[in-house]
Protein backbone atom coordinates (compact mmCIF):
# COMPACT_ATOMS: atom_id res chain seq x y z
CA UNK A 1 0.00 0.00 0.00
CA UNK A 2 1.35 3.45 -0.94
CA UNK A 3 1.94 5.74 1.99
CA UNK A 4 -0.29 8.82 1.90
CA UNK A 5 -1.66 11.70 3.95
CA UNK A 6 -4.83 11.81 1.81
CA UNK A 7 -6.96 10.94 4.83
CA UNK A 8 -7.38 14.07 6.98
CA UNK A 9 -8.24 12.88 10.49
CA UNK A 10 -9.53 14.51 13.65
CA UNK A 11 -7.36 13.52 16.60
CA UNK A 12 -8.69 14.06 20.09
CA UNK A 13 -6.51 14.72 23.13
CA UNK A 14 -7.25 15.83 26.70
CA UNK A 15 -6.59 19.55 26.16
CA UNK A 16 -6.56 19.95 22.41
CA UNK A 17 -8.17 18.47 19.36
CA UNK A 18 -6.48 18.37 15.96
CA UNK A 19 -8.61 18.69 12.85
CA UNK A 20 -8.02 19.65 9.20
CA UNK A 21 -7.43 23.38 8.68
CA UNK A 22 -10.09 25.28 6.73
CA UNK A 23 -11.53 28.66 5.79
CA UNK A 24 -12.70 29.28 9.36
CA UNK A 25 -9.10 29.18 10.61
CA UNK A 26 -7.73 31.93 8.36
CA UNK A 27 -7.94 34.61 11.09
CA UNK A 28 -5.87 32.31 13.31
CA UNK A 29 -3.33 31.78 10.55
CA UNK A 30 -3.04 35.55 10.10
CA UNK A 31 -2.47 35.91 13.85
CA UNK A 32 0.35 33.37 13.54
CA UNK A 33 1.88 35.08 10.52
CA UNK A 34 2.02 38.54 12.11
CA UNK A 35 3.37 37.42 15.50
CA UNK A 36 7.04 38.50 15.69
CA UNK A 37 7.93 35.88 18.33
CA UNK A 38 6.44 32.99 16.36
CA UNK A 39 8.23 34.28 13.25
CA UNK A 40 11.56 34.43 15.10
CA UNK A 41 11.16 30.96 16.60
CA UNK A 42 10.26 29.46 13.23
CA UNK A 43 12.90 31.51 11.36
CA UNK A 44 10.25 33.05 9.12
CA UNK A 45 11.77 35.95 7.18
CA UNK A 46 8.79 36.59 4.89
CA UNK A 47 6.79 39.61 6.04
CA UNK A 48 3.01 39.18 6.07
CA UNK A 49 1.00 42.40 5.74
CA UNK A 50 -2.48 42.02 7.27
CA UNK A 51 -3.55 45.19 5.42
CA UNK A 52 -2.69 43.68 2.04
CA UNK A 53 -5.60 42.08 0.17
CA UNK A 54 -3.14 39.93 -1.76
CA UNK A 55 -1.54 38.58 1.44
CA UNK A 56 -4.95 37.86 2.99
CA UNK A 57 -6.05 36.10 -0.17
CA UNK A 58 -2.87 34.03 -0.12
CA UNK A 59 -3.53 32.99 3.49
CA UNK A 60 -7.09 32.02 2.64
CA UNK A 61 -6.00 30.08 -0.43
CA UNK A 62 -3.42 28.26 1.69
CA UNK A 63 -5.87 27.06 4.32
CA UNK A 64 -8.60 26.15 1.84
CA UNK A 65 -6.33 24.06 -0.38
CA UNK A 66 -4.52 21.84 2.16
CA UNK A 67 -6.99 18.97 1.66
CA UNK A 68 -5.88 18.70 -1.97
CA UNK A 69 -2.44 17.43 -0.97
CA UNK A 70 -1.71 13.82 -0.08
CA UNK A 71 1.98 14.42 0.71
CA UNK A 72 1.24 16.59 3.75
CA UNK A 73 -1.17 16.83 6.65
CA UNK A 74 -2.02 20.29 8.01
CA UNK A 75 -4.05 20.13 11.19
CA UNK A 76 -5.44 23.01 13.22
CA UNK A 77 -4.78 22.78 16.95
CA UNK A 78 -7.95 23.85 18.74
CA UNK A 79 -8.80 23.94 22.42
CA UNK A 80 -10.89 20.89 23.19
CA UNK A 81 -13.18 23.03 25.29
CA UNK A 82 -14.64 25.77 23.12
CA UNK A 83 -12.85 24.87 19.90
CA UNK A 84 -10.69 28.02 19.74
CA UNK A 85 -7.87 27.84 17.16
CA UNK A 86 -4.50 27.99 18.92
CA UNK A 87 -2.11 26.99 16.14
CA UNK A 88 -1.20 24.41 13.56
CA UNK A 89 0.82 21.23 13.39
CA UNK A 90 2.00 19.84 10.08
CA UNK A 91 3.49 16.65 8.67
CA UNK A 92 5.05 17.54 5.33
CA UNK A 93 7.21 16.41 2.43
CA UNK A 94 6.13 12.79 2.66
CA UNK A 95 8.84 10.57 1.18
CA UNK A 96 6.95 7.42 0.25
CA UNK A 97 10.07 5.44 -0.74
CA UNK A 98 11.68 5.90 2.65
CA UNK A 99 8.49 6.21 4.71
CA UNK A 100 9.68 9.52 6.13
CA UNK A 101 8.30 13.03 6.53
CA UNK A 102 9.02 16.41 8.06
CA UNK A 103 7.28 18.09 10.99
CA UNK A 104 6.46 21.63 12.04
CA UNK A 105 4.34 23.23 14.74
CA UNK A 106 3.43 26.75 15.73
CA UNK A 107 1.11 28.08 18.40
CA UNK A 108 -0.36 31.56 18.40
CA UNK A 109 1.92 33.38 20.77
CA UNK A 110 1.72 33.87 24.52
CA UNK A 111 -1.99 33.14 24.75
CA UNK A 112 -1.23 29.51 23.90
CA UNK A 113 2.37 28.90 24.97
CA UNK A 114 3.25 26.83 28.03
CA UNK A 115 -0.12 25.17 28.60
CA UNK A 116 0.78 21.70 27.44
CA UNK A 117 -0.84 22.20 24.03
CA UNK A 118 2.36 21.81 22.01
CA UNK A 119 3.38 18.58 23.74
CA UNK A 120 -0.06 17.04 23.34
CA UNK A 121 -0.44 18.11 19.69
CA UNK A 122 3.00 16.72 18.85
CA UNK A 123 2.24 13.39 20.53
CA UNK A 124 -1.13 13.12 18.76
CA UNK A 125 0.14 13.74 15.25
CA UNK A 126 3.32 11.67 15.70
CA UNK A 127 1.20 8.78 17.03
CA UNK A 128 -1.10 9.09 14.02
CA UNK A 129 1.83 9.06 11.60
CA UNK A 130 3.39 5.93 13.10
CA UNK A 131 0.32 3.96 14.14
CA UNK A 132 -2.21 4.76 11.42
CA UNK A 133 -0.33 6.00 8.36
CA UNK A 134 2.73 3.74 8.65
CA UNK A 135 5.46 6.40 8.58
CA UNK A 136 8.83 5.17 9.86
CA UNK A 137 10.74 8.42 10.42
CA UNK A 138 9.73 12.00 11.28
CA UNK A 139 12.33 14.74 11.20
CA UNK A 140 12.47 18.40 12.14
CA UNK A 141 14.81 21.31 12.65
CA UNK A 142 14.92 23.55 15.71
CA UNK A 143 16.96 26.69 16.22
CA UNK A 144 19.47 26.95 19.01
CA UNK A 145 17.54 29.88 20.55
CA UNK A 146 14.42 27.74 21.04
CA UNK A 147 15.10 25.48 24.05
CA UNK A 148 11.39 25.22 24.87
CA UNK A 149 10.61 23.56 21.54
CA UNK A 150 13.65 21.29 21.82
CA UNK A 151 12.54 20.24 25.30
CA UNK A 152 9.05 19.39 23.99
CA UNK A 153 10.50 17.35 21.11
CA UNK A 154 12.81 15.44 23.48
CA UNK A 155 9.86 14.73 25.79
CA UNK A 156 7.95 13.22 22.86
CA UNK A 157 10.98 11.09 21.88
CA UNK A 158 12.79 13.03 19.14
CA UNK A 159 16.55 12.48 19.22
CA UNK A 160 19.22 15.05 18.33
CA UNK A 161 21.03 13.83 15.20
CA UNK A 162 23.28 16.75 14.36
CA UNK A 163 23.74 20.47 14.12
CA UNK A 164 23.95 22.72 11.09
CA UNK A 165 26.24 25.50 12.20
CA UNK A 166 25.22 29.11 11.49
CA UNK A 167 22.31 27.95 9.35
CA UNK A 168 20.04 30.88 10.19
CA UNK A 169 20.79 34.59 10.01
CA UNK A 170 18.53 36.43 12.46
CA UNK A 171 18.88 40.01 13.74
CA UNK A 172 22.44 40.21 12.39
CA UNK A 173 23.50 37.08 14.27
CA UNK A 174 24.27 33.53 13.16
CA UNK A 175 22.15 30.82 14.76
CA UNK A 176 22.81 27.07 14.74
CA UNK A 177 20.04 24.69 13.67
CA UNK A 178 19.62 21.32 15.36
CA UNK A 179 18.28 18.35 13.42
CA UNK A 180 16.11 15.94 15.34
CA UNK A 181 14.14 12.84 14.41
CA UNK A 182 12.03 10.09 15.87
CA UNK A 183 11.65 6.66 14.28
CA UNK A 184 8.84 4.16 14.68
CA UNK A 185 10.91 1.83 16.88
CA UNK A 186 11.60 4.74 19.31
CA UNK A 187 7.86 5.38 19.48
CA UNK A 188 6.97 1.70 20.02
CA UNK A 189 9.62 1.37 22.72
CA UNK A 190 8.22 4.24 24.75
CA UNK A 191 4.53 3.54 24.17
C1 LIG B 1 7.31 25.11 20.77
C2 LIG B 1 5.86 25.02 21.12
C3 LIG B 1 5.11 24.22 20.07
C4 LIG B 1 5.74 24.28 22.45
O1 LIG B 1 4.39 24.19 22.80
P1 LIG B 1 3.91 24.67 24.25
O2 LIG B 1 2.48 24.35 24.35
O3 LIG B 1 4.31 26.09 24.44
O4 LIG B 1 4.77 23.74 25.19
P2 LIG B 1 4.23 22.82 26.42
O5 LIG B 1 3.46 23.67 27.35
O6 LIG B 1 3.58 21.62 25.89
O7 LIG B 1 5.61 22.35 27.05
C5 LIG B 1 6.64 23.29 27.30
C6 LIG B 1 7.76 22.57 28.00
O8 LIG B 1 8.97 23.30 27.78
C7 LIG B 1 9.50 23.66 29.04
N1 LIG B 1 10.16 24.94 28.84
C8 LIG B 1 9.62 26.18 28.79
N2 LIG B 1 10.57 27.09 28.55
C9 LIG B 1 11.73 26.41 28.43
C10 LIG B 1 13.09 26.79 28.19
N3 LIG B 1 13.42 28.06 28.01
N4 LIG B 1 14.03 25.82 28.14
C11 LIG B 1 13.70 24.50 28.30
N5 LIG B 1 12.44 24.10 28.55
C12 LIG B 1 11.48 25.04 28.60
C13 LIG B 1 8.32 23.68 30.00
O9 LIG B 1 8.72 23.55 31.34
C14 LIG B 1 7.56 22.47 29.50
O10 LIG B 1 8.18 21.28 29.87
P3 LIG B 1 7.60 20.33 31.04
O11 LIG B 1 6.22 19.96 30.60
O12 LIG B 1 8.56 19.17 31.04
O13 LIG B 1 7.61 21.16 32.29
C15 LIG B 1 5.20 26.43 21.24
O14 LIG B 1 5.75 27.11 22.33
C16 LIG B 1 5.31 27.27 20.00
O15 LIG B 1 4.52 27.13 19.08
N6 LIG B 1 6.28 28.17 19.95
C17 LIG B 1 6.41 29.14 18.83
C18 LIG B 1 6.77 28.47 17.52
C19 LIG B 1 7.86 27.45 17.69
O16 LIG B 1 8.78 27.60 18.46
N7 LIG B 1 7.71 26.38 16.91
C20 LIG B 1 8.70 25.34 16.87
C21 LIG B 1 9.73 25.68 15.87
S1 LIG B 1 10.95 24.39 15.78
Amino acid sequence: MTLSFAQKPTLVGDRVLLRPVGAGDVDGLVELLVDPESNRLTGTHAVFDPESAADLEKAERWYTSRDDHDDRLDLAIVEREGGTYVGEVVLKELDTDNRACGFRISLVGPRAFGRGYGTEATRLIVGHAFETVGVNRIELEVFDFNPRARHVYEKVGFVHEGTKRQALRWDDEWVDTHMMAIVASDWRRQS
Side-chain angles (χ1 to χ4, degrees):
M1 195 183 71
T2 310
L3 210 62
S4 167
F5 288 137
Q7 295 296 324
K8 310 296 181 188
T10 293
L11 308 173
V12 183
D14 295 330
R15 301 170 200 212
V16 295
L17 178 150
L18 310 184
R19 54 150 180 77
V21 296
D25 303 314
V26 175
D27 287 351
L29 174 61
V30 169
E31 190 181 345
L32 265 185
L33 294 170
V34 298
D35 179 31
E37 184 64 352
S38 293
N39 282 336
R40 183 180 78 91
L41 293 170
T42 54
T44 305
H45 289 292
V47 178
F48 183 89
D49 176 4
E51 305 297 320
S52 153
D55 279 8
L56 290 170
E57 199 182 307
K58 218 188 307 177
E60 184 165 348
R61 224 178 311 126
W62 183 257
Y63 260 10
T64 53
S65 60
R66 296 306 83 204
D67 279 5
D68 308 339
H69 300 265
D70 62 6
D71 62 344
R72 54 183 293 140
L73 177 61
D74 298 69
L75 297 179
I77 307 169
V78 304
E79 285 174 333
R80 182 145 174 214
E81 213 164 294
T84 304
Y85 174 101
V86 291
E88 63 169 27
V89 60
V90 180
L91 297 175
K92 56 187 187 142
E93 291 156 19
L94 182 64
D95 170 351
T96 52
D97 292 326
N98 298 304
R99 306 181 85 82
C101 68
F103 170 95
R104 70 178 300 271
I105 185 169
S106 200
L107 299 179
V108 285
R111 79 175 165 91
F113 290 174
R115 302 172 71 178
Y117 294 169
T119 302
E120 189 169 69
T122 304
R123 282 205 177 107
L124 283 169
I125 202 165
V126 165
H128 171 75
F130 288 140
E131 292 167 16
T132 305
V133 182
V135 168
N136 181 61
R137 173 184 165 88
I138 305 173
E139 57 192 29
L140 61 83
E141 294 191 347
V142 58
F143 300 120
D144 192 58
F145 55 40
N146 197 353
R148 176 178 50 209
R150 181 165 173 174
H151 177 76
V152 166
Y153 300 147
E154 282 167 351
K155 253 196 323 178
V156 173
F158 283 83
V159 174
H160 181 243
E161 294 187 333
T163 297
K164 295 199 277 191
R165 294 171 303 142
Q166 302 183 2
L168 175 75
R169 184 76 174 161
W170 197 265
D171 280 349
D172 286 336
E173 306 224 349
W174 292 114
V175 182
D176 290 350
T177 300
H178 304 295
M179 296 173 291
M180 301 182 79
I182 181 170
V183 295
S185 53
D186 298 334
W187 182 255
R188 279 197 300 273
R189 205 176 314 120
Q190 69 180 27
S191 293

PDB file of all heavy atoms in Angstrom, residues 72-89:
ATOM      1  N   ARG A  72       1.108  15.821   2.516  1.00  0.00           N
ATOM      2  CA  ARG A  72       1.238  16.594   3.746  1.00  0.00           C
ATOM      3  C   ARG A  72      -0.099  16.571   4.500  1.00  0.00           C
ATOM      4  O   ARG A  72      -1.156  16.329   3.911  1.00  0.00           O
ATOM      5  CB  ARG A  72       1.681  18.024   3.466  1.00  0.00           C
ATOM      6  CG  ARG A  72       0.807  18.777   2.463  1.00  0.00           C
ATOM      7  CD  ARG A  72       1.376  20.150   2.197  1.00  0.00           C
ATOM      8  NE  ARG A  72       1.302  20.994   3.376  1.00  0.00           N
ATOM      9  CZ  ARG A  72       2.266  21.837   3.747  1.00  0.00           C
ATOM     10  NH1 ARG A  72       3.357  21.963   3.041  1.00  0.00           N
ATOM     11  NH2 ARG A  72       2.129  22.579   4.838  1.00  0.00           N
ATOM     12  N   LEU A  73       0.019  16.835   5.794  1.00  0.00           N
ATOM     13  CA  LEU A  73      -1.167  16.826   6.650  1.00  0.00           C
ATOM     14  C   LEU A  73      -1.096  18.063   7.526  1.00  0.00           C
ATOM     15  O   LEU A  73      -0.213  18.187   8.378  1.00  0.00           O
ATOM     16  CB  LEU A  73      -1.152  15.549   7.514  1.00  0.00           C
ATOM     17  CG  LEU A  73      -2.286  15.401   8.521  1.00  0.00           C
ATOM     18  CD1 LEU A  73      -3.643  15.364   7.827  1.00  0.00           C
ATOM     19  CD2 LEU A  73      -2.083  14.118   9.341  1.00  0.00           C
ATOM     20  N   ASP A  74      -2.003  19.018   7.273  1.00  0.00           N
ATOM     21  CA  ASP A  74      -2.024  20.288   8.005  1.00  0.00           C
ATOM     22  C   ASP A  74      -3.215  20.270   8.947  1.00  0.00           C
ATOM     23  O   ASP A  74      -4.369  20.348   8.491  1.00  0.00           O
ATOM     24  CB  ASP A  74      -2.182  21.471   7.036  1.00  0.00           C
ATOM     25  CG  ASP A  74      -1.028  21.587   6.050  1.00  0.00           C
ATOM     26  OD1 ASP A  74      -0.909  20.709   5.165  1.00  0.00           O
ATOM     27  OD2 ASP A  74      -0.253  22.547   6.166  1.00  0.00           O
ATOM     28  N   LEU A  75      -2.951  20.177  10.231  1.00  0.00           N
ATOM     29  CA  LEU A  75      -4.051  20.126  11.191  1.00  0.00           C
ATOM     30  C   LEU A  75      -4.065  21.373  12.064  1.00  0.00           C
ATOM     31  O   LEU A  75      -3.000  21.837  12.526  1.00  0.00           O
ATOM     32  CB  LEU A  75      -3.923  18.877  12.065  1.00  0.00           C
ATOM     33  CG  LEU A  75      -4.025  17.530  11.326  1.00  0.00           C
ATOM     34  CD1 LEU A  75      -3.865  16.377  12.305  1.00  0.00           C
ATOM     35  CD2 LEU A  75      -5.344  17.396  10.557  1.00  0.00           C
ATOM     36  N   ALA A  76      -5.284  21.905  12.274  1.00  0.00           N
ATOM     37  CA  ALA A  76      -5.437  23.008  13.219  1.00  0.00           C
ATOM     38  C   ALA A  76      -5.402  22.421  14.624  1.00  0.00           C
ATOM     39  O   ALA A  76      -5.947  21.344  14.873  1.00  0.00           O
ATOM     40  CB  ALA A  76      -6.780  23.698  12.982  1.00  0.00           C
ATOM     41  N   ILE A  77      -4.739  23.145  15.529  1.00  0.00           N
ATOM     42  CA  ILE A  77      -4.777  22.777  16.950  1.00  0.00           C
ATOM     43  C   ILE A  77      -5.857  23.659  17.578  1.00  0.00           C
ATOM     44  O   ILE A  77      -5.754  24.890  17.521  1.00  0.00           O
ATOM     45  CB  ILE A  77      -3.417  23.045  17.633  1.00  0.00           C
ATOM     46  CG1 ILE A  77      -2.282  22.369  16.863  1.00  0.00           C
ATOM     47  CG2 ILE A  77      -3.438  22.599  19.085  1.00  0.00           C
ATOM     48  CD1 ILE A  77      -0.871  22.813  17.312  1.00  0.00           C
ATOM     49  N   VAL A  78      -6.893  23.048  18.116  1.00  0.00           N
ATOM     50  CA  VAL A  78      -7.948  23.846  18.744  1.00  0.00           C
ATOM     51  C   VAL A  78      -8.138  23.370  20.176  1.00  0.00           C
ATOM     52  O   VAL A  78      -7.913  22.199  20.497  1.00  0.00           O
ATOM     53  CB  VAL A  78      -9.293  23.768  17.954  1.00  0.00           C
ATOM     54  CG1 VAL A  78      -9.124  24.187  16.512  1.00  0.00           C
ATOM     55  CG2 VAL A  78      -9.909  22.391  18.028  1.00  0.00           C
ATOM     56  N   GLU A  79      -8.537  24.312  21.029  1.00  0.00           N
ATOM     57  CA  GLU A  79      -8.799  23.938  22.418  1.00  0.00           C
ATOM     58  C   GLU A  79      -9.971  22.980  22.437  1.00  0.00           C
ATOM     59  O   GLU A  79     -10.987  23.225  21.777  1.00  0.00           O
ATOM     60  CB  GLU A  79      -9.100  25.184  23.251  1.00  0.00           C
ATOM     61  CG  GLU A  79      -7.838  25.968  23.542  1.00  0.00           C
ATOM     62  CD  GLU A  79      -8.075  27.298  24.231  1.00  0.00           C
ATOM     63  OE1 GLU A  79      -9.164  27.875  24.045  1.00  0.00           O
ATOM     64  OE2 GLU A  79      -7.170  27.756  24.935  1.00  0.00           O
ATOM     65  N   ARG A  80      -9.810  21.902  23.185  1.00  0.00           N
ATOM     66  CA  ARG A  80     -10.885  20.892  23.192  1.00  0.00           C
ATOM     67  C   ARG A  80     -12.165  21.524  23.729  1.00  0.00           C
ATOM     68  O   ARG A  80     -13.243  21.280  23.227  1.00  0.00           O
ATOM     69  CB  ARG A  80     -10.441  19.713  24.053  1.00  0.00           C
ATOM     70  CG  ARG A  80     -11.472  18.657  24.054  1.00  0.00           C
ATOM     71  CD  ARG A  80     -10.925  17.273  24.110  1.00  0.00           C
ATOM     72  NE  ARG A  80     -12.042  16.358  24.252  1.00  0.00           N
ATOM     73  CZ  ARG A  80     -12.007  15.252  24.922  1.00  0.00           C
ATOM     74  NH1 ARG A  80     -10.891  14.870  25.506  1.00  0.00           N
ATOM     75  NH2 ARG A  80     -13.052  14.482  25.008  1.00  0.00           N
ATOM     76  N   GLU A  81     -11.999  22.348  24.755  1.00  0.00           N
ATOM     77  CA  GLU A  81     -13.177  23.032  25.287  1.00  0.00           C
ATOM     78  C   GLU A  81     -13.344  24.361  24.550  1.00  0.00           C
ATOM     79  O   GLU A  81     -12.468  25.217  24.646  1.00  0.00           O
ATOM     80  CB  GLU A  81     -12.974  23.292  26.771  1.00  0.00           C
ATOM     81  CG  GLU A  81     -14.254  23.238  27.554  1.00  0.00           C
ATOM     82  CD  GLU A  81     -13.969  23.102  29.041  1.00  0.00           C
ATOM     83  OE1 GLU A  81     -13.430  22.052  29.439  1.00  0.00           O
ATOM     84  OE2 GLU A  81     -14.228  24.069  29.756  1.00  0.00           O
ATOM     85  N   GLY A  82     -14.378  24.499  23.788  1.00  0.00           N
ATOM     86  CA  GLY A  82     -14.640  25.774  23.123  1.00  0.00           C
ATOM     87  C   GLY A  82     -14.209  25.806  21.667  1.00  0.00           C
ATOM     88  O   GLY A  82     -14.715  26.590  20.874  1.00  0.00           O
ATOM     89  N   GLY A  83     -13.244  24.969  21.305  1.00  0.00           N
ATOM     90  CA  GLY A  83     -12.852  24.867  19.899  1.00  0.00           C
ATOM     91  C   GLY A  83     -12.069  26.043  19.341  1.00  0.00           C
ATOM     92  O   GLY A  83     -11.978  26.206  18.121  1.00  0.00           O
ATOM     93  N   THR A  84     -11.476  26.876  20.234  1.00  0.00           N
ATOM     94  CA  THR A  84     -10.695  28.021  19.737  1.00  0.00           C
ATOM     95  C   THR A  84      -9.406  27.561  19.068  1.00  0.00           C
ATOM     96  O   THR A  84      -8.667  26.736  19.622  1.00  0.00           O
ATOM     97  CB  THR A  84     -10.324  28.962  20.915  1.00  0.00           C
ATOM     98  OG1 THR A  84     -11.521  29.338  21.563  1.00  0.00           O
ATOM     99  CG2 THR A  84      -9.579  30.194  20.438  1.00  0.00           C
ATOM    100  N   TYR A  85      -9.119  28.138  17.894  1.00  0.00           N
ATOM    101  CA  TYR A  85      -7.874  27.842  17.160  1.00  0.00           C
ATOM    102  C   TYR A  85      -6.683  28.379  17.955  1.00  0.00           C
ATOM    103  O   TYR A  85      -6.674  29.547  18.340  1.00  0.00           O
ATOM    104  CB  TYR A  85      -7.943  28.531  15.799  1.00  0.00           C
ATOM    105  CG  TYR A  85      -6.681  28.448  14.945  1.00  0.00           C
ATOM    106  CD1 TYR A  85      -6.593  27.537  13.898  1.00  0.00           C
ATOM    107  CD2 TYR A  85      -5.612  29.315  15.165  1.00  0.00           C
ATOM    108  CE1 TYR A  85      -5.455  27.480  13.101  1.00  0.00           C
ATOM    109  CE2 TYR A  85      -4.469  29.260  14.373  1.00  0.00           C
ATOM    110  CZ  TYR A  85      -4.400  28.335  13.344  1.00  0.00           C
ATOM    111  OH  TYR A  85      -3.272  28.291  12.547  1.00  0.00           O
ATOM    112  N   VAL A  86      -5.704  27.526  18.213  1.00  0.00           N
ATOM    113  CA  VAL A  86      -4.500  27.994  18.918  1.00  0.00           C
ATOM    114  C   VAL A  86      -3.220  27.723  18.137  1.00  0.00           C
ATOM    115  O   VAL A  86      -2.118  27.968  18.651  1.00  0.00           O
ATOM    116  CB  VAL A  86      -4.389  27.405  20.352  1.00  0.00           C
ATOM    117  CG1 VAL A  86      -5.466  27.992  21.258  1.00  0.00           C
ATOM    118  CG2 VAL A  86      -4.437  25.883  20.336  1.00  0.00           C
ATOM    119  N   GLY A  87      -3.325  27.211  16.922  1.00  0.00           N
ATOM    120  CA  GLY A  87      -2.110  26.994  16.140  1.00  0.00           C
ATOM    121  C   GLY A  87      -2.281  25.884  15.126  1.00  0.00           C
ATOM    122  O   GLY A  87      -3.398  25.418  14.870  1.00  0.00           O
ATOM    123  N   GLU A  88      -1.155  25.474  14.571  1.00  0.00           N
ATOM    124  CA  GLU A  88      -1.203  24.407  13.562  1.00  0.00           C
ATOM    125  C   GLU A  88      -0.029  23.458  13.774  1.00  0.00           C
ATOM    126  O   GLU A  88       1.024  23.847  14.299  1.00  0.00           O
ATOM    127  CB  GLU A  88      -1.154  24.995  12.144  1.00  0.00           C
ATOM    128  CG  GLU A  88       0.134  25.739  11.845  1.00  0.00           C
ATOM    129  CD  GLU A  88       0.311  26.097  10.379  1.00  0.00           C
ATOM    130  OE1 GLU A  88      -0.693  26.244   9.662  1.00  0.00           O
ATOM    131  OE2 GLU A  88       1.481  26.227   9.947  1.00  0.00           O
ATOM    132  N   VAL A  89      -0.242  22.228  13.359  1.00  0.00           N
ATOM    133  CA  VAL A  89       0.821  21.230  13.393  1.00  0.00           C
ATOM    134  C   VAL A  89       0.774  20.495  12.058  1.00  0.00           C
ATOM    135  O   VAL A  89      -0.304  20.177  11.557  1.00  0.00           O
ATOM    136  CB  VAL A  89       0.680  20.295  14.621  1.00  0.00           C
ATOM    137  CG1 VAL A  89      -0.632  19.531  14.629  1.00  0.00           C
ATOM    138  CG2 VAL A  89       1.865  19.358  14.727  1.00  0.00           C
TER     139      VAL A  89
END
